[in-house]
Amino acid sequence: ISEVGVGWGSALERVGEYAAAEEALDDAYWLASSLKQESLAAEAAIAATLVVGHHLGRLDEVERWQRQAEAAVKRAGDDPLLRAELHETIGTVDVDRGDYSSARANHEQALALREEALGPDDPRVGNRAGRCAGLPAREHCRLGDRARLPDPAPGREAADQGRRAGR
């Protein structure tokens, strides 16, 4: 049942039904936790972190979900792919906060964890590497010895600052 809840919450997030996604993920997290399904609890908390912090823009509330996700990942055996997903999500929220240095560090950590777990040639690693490109030019990911990623669209940093300021 909790697996269905995580899937439903994630589906709602993908179609832009963020309030409903938050509710479904909250229910799924607590159900999975009560059933000791720690990987599912971690997935639900990570997804809720993205929904609350990034999509709903409630940056003052996202810390609760981030702490829940951290604890669930640890209880799930500190799986490297769950840990990578958590770092990627935190990095995305960091961009929304305007903390580009932390965003870069979190995205780099996510990439390193995926490369270690899956190998550098796995397509799931390459698909995620591009996430760092959304950071402002002065803060985009370095990705070790790889070439720097292209600069984001012009005006992205100003638009992000305006959104955070409520404009």
Side-chain angles (χ1 to χ4, degrees), residues 12-78:
L12 289 166
E13 181 259 335
R14 282 191 298 276
V15 299
E17 295 291 333
Y18 304 126
E22 178 186 13
E23 185 176 337
L25 292 165
D26 184 67
D27 290 345
Y29 171 78
W30 292 109
L31 179 60
S33 291
S34 71
L35 297 172
K36 306 285 190 233
Q37 296 174 327
E38 302 303 348
S39 290
L40 285 173
E43 288 178 31
I46 292 167
T49 299
L50 185 68
V51 167
V52 170
H54 177 65
H55 294 300
L56 294 174
R58 296 192 334 243
L59 298 174
D60 55 329
E61 297 176 34
V62 75
E63 294 296 324
R64 176 181 75 97
W65 277 114
Q66 188 175 326
R67 286 192 309 272
Q68 302 279 28
E70 283 279 349
V73 168
K74 286 179 185 173
R75 289 191 309 268
D78 214 21

Side-chain angles (χ1 to χ4, degrees), residues 48-117:
T49 299
L50 185 68
V51 167
V52 170
H54 177 65
H55 294 300
L56 294 174
R58 296 192 334 243
L59 298 174
D60 55 329
E61 297 176 34
V62 75
E63 294 296 324
R64 176 181 75 97
W65 277 114
Q66 188 175 326
R67 286 192 309 272
Q68 302 279 28
E70 283 279 349
V73 168
K74 286 179 185 173
R75 289 191 309 268
D78 214 21
D79 176 90
L81 294 178
L82 280 175
R83 172 88 31 214
E85 190 68 26
L86 178 58
H87 278 287
E88 184 176 300
T89 298
I90 293 168
T92 298
V93 173
D94 284 341
V95 169
D96 295 331
R97 289 181 180 131
D99 189 348
Y100 300 112
S101 178
S102 180
R104 182 185 64 234
N106 274 297
H107 282 290
E108 285 180 341
Q109 183 63 35
L111 182 61
L113 286 163
R114 282 196 180 91
E115 283 181 340
E116 185 176 322

